[in-house]
Amino acid sequence: MNALIHETVAEKVAWGMTCPMPGLFCRSLSLGNPQKPARGNLVNMIAGVRRCGKTYRIYQEMGALAAAGIDRRSILYFNFDDERLMPFETEMLDDVITTYEALWPASLDGCYLFFDEIQEVPGWGAFIRRMVDTRKATIYVTGSSSRMLSSEMPTEFRGRSITRELFPLSFSEYCEVIAGEAPDAAAEARSSSTKARLRHLLDRYLMTGGFPAVM
């Protein structure tokens, strides 16, 4: 493997074990109760279009694990959407894991692995299957809807994951972000001023859409 790529992997692994959680808006998409790290766990997959918030959804999950008392070093985040890692080689996946083990040997006793935009790396499906079969881990994977929800899904990976699709913000989520509260479900409970404010927010929502970056 290219030495510069290995250095980048080592840098990203070290950062991914300790990176602070950014300020988050909690998305409504539930990933269920996190499984205790074990061999044979189903992989939690989040699919969605670019910029819909997949990365921040897994940050949300990582933050919940840390808040529950999981050692931060037992939670690894690695984002493959990085031009410094190109050209992508299958060997890089093993490099990520062996580097993590070297930095945190206790990960062999159980860890949480978050792989962001892994679908561009050749052989990623076989790699994840091997992790499922041989490692005490709970694994989360994100990727594009076009790859993760289509016939391009690696054969060896099928049946070993639970896929959930993340969409841009719903209008209710948009209201929570912009106005700090979701609209009351009971229309009759809304005051005239609340209805006017919701109409204004709806106009903005229809103009800008629900992609977080353009709000």
Side-chain angles (χ1 to χ4, degrees), residues 65-142:
L65 290 171
I70 302 299
D71 191 312
R72 181 64 185 80
R73 293 166 295 181
S74 293
I75 304 170
L76 173 65
Y77 169 75
F78 197 95
N79 187 350
F80 291 90
D81 189 14
D82 188 330
E83 82 285 352
R84 296 175 299 169
L85 299 175
M86 299 176 70
F88 294 117
E89 299 176 358
T90 303
E91 293 79 9
M92 180 175 60
L93 298 169
D94 270 330
D95 195 24
V96 171
I97 291 300
T98 56
T99 301
Y100 180 43
E101 290 173 356
L103 291 174
W104 184 238
S107 66
L108 292 167
D109 297 324
C111 60
Y112 296 83
L113 303 175
F114 291 81
F115 296 130
D116 205 357
E117 299 292 349
I118 196 175
Q119 78 275 358
E120 299 300 330
V121 184
W124 71 269
F127 167 76
I128 293 293
R129 175 172 178 171
R130 176 160 57 85
M131 292 295 100
V132 168
D133 289 342
T134 64
R135 194 175 187 93
K136 292 179 66 176
T138 297
I139 303 173
Y140 296 79
V141 172
T142 76

